[in-house]
Amino acid sequence: MVSNSKIPIQQAATQLSLHGNLTITGSATATATGNLEIEGNLNINSGASFETGAFIQQVKGDIVCDGAFMATTGSSLTMNGSVAQSIEGTTPTVAFRDLTITNSNGVTLFNHITTKDITISAGGSILTVLSGKSLSATGPTAINTVQGLVLKSDENGTASFIDNG
């Protein structure tokens, strides 16, 4: 857990693997200084922030963003868990740089998401956008599996996908 400070997440020349959750609280800003693999959840609490640096982040759990997710040019985020994952929290819109979904159990969006590039990998990977939420991409979109992008609709609204790439 990172709390109330500006902390660089430093590592050796290879990828840093966290075998649990990364929780950033208080007014802390955590900044990646290399590739990062989180085997648990990434929790960014209200008032806190996570800066990606120009690196690759892999999250095998959920992302709960109540603070700020600051994606740097050259960064990418892969959701590659082995169970169903979600992106949620109170931040109205979460902005990623390059988003890749590699999870056949699915990733569900509970927020509005913007990203430059989006890739839904082959092998049955699924990204579900809940009703009333949106996914917007400004760069290349690659959906490499049948029914890889699911847009939900119900009495509360309809999900949307805006491809500006």
Side-chain angles (χ1 to χ4, degrees), residues 26-50:
S27 60
T29 298
T31 303
T33 60
N35 295 340
L36 179 62
E37 178 183 45
I38 303 168
E39 291 188 17
N41 299 330
L42 172 58
N43 301 301
I44 307 166
N45 293 348
S46 180
S49 60
F50 175 69

Side-chain angles (χ1 to χ4, degrees), residues 96-125:
F96 300 121
R97 184 70 186 164
D98 296 326
L99 177 62
T100 299
I101 306 299
T102 308
N103 184 336
S104 60
N105 290 300
V107 175
T108 302
L109 299 184
F110 288 84
N111 295 68
H112 298 284
I113 301 293
T114 63
T115 186
K116 181 180 172 282
D117 302 346
I118 182 149
T119 302
I120 301 172
S121 298
S125 296

Side-chain angles (χ1 to χ4, degrees), residues 14-159:
T14 60
Q15 172 173 288
L16 175 66
S17 295
L18 300 176
H19 296 284
N21 299 331
L22 173 59
T23 300
I24 308 165
T25 65
S27 60
T29 298
T31 303
T33 60
N35 295 340
L36 179 62
E37 178 183 45
I38 303 168
E39 291 188 17
N41 299 330
L42 172 58
N43 301 301
I44 307 166
N45 293 348
S46 180
S49 60
F50 175 69
E51 296 178 11
T52 64
F55 302 105
I56 298 167
Q57 281 78 41
Q58 297 179 57
V59 178
K60 295 184 182 296
D62 299 330
I63 295 177
V64 179
C65 188
D66 296 326
F69 185 99
M70 295 179 286
T72 304
T73 299
S75 69
S76 67
L77 171 70
T78 300
M79 301 290 290
N80 59 351
S82 58
V83 298
Q85 294 176 270
S86 64
I87 300 172
E88 55 190 278
T90 59
T91 299
T93 301
V94 180
F96 300 121
R97 184 70 186 164
D98 296 326
L99 177 62
T100 299
I101 306 299
T102 308
N103 184 336
S104 60
N105 290 300
V107 175
T108 302
L109 299 184
F110 288 84
N111 295 68
H112 298 284
I113 301 293
T114 63
T115 186
K116 181 180 172 282
D117 302 346
I118 182 149
T119 302
I120 301 172
S121 298
S125 296
I126 303 166
L127 176 61
T128 301
V129 183
L130 293 183
S131 63
K133 303 303 177 187
S134 64
L135 170 65
S136 178
T138 60
T141 297
I143 302 173
N144 298 311
T145 188
V146 175
Q147 297 179 350
L149 179 61
V150 177
L151 304 175
K152 294 286 189 169
S153 182
D154 64 18
E155 67 278 357
N156 297 317
T158 300

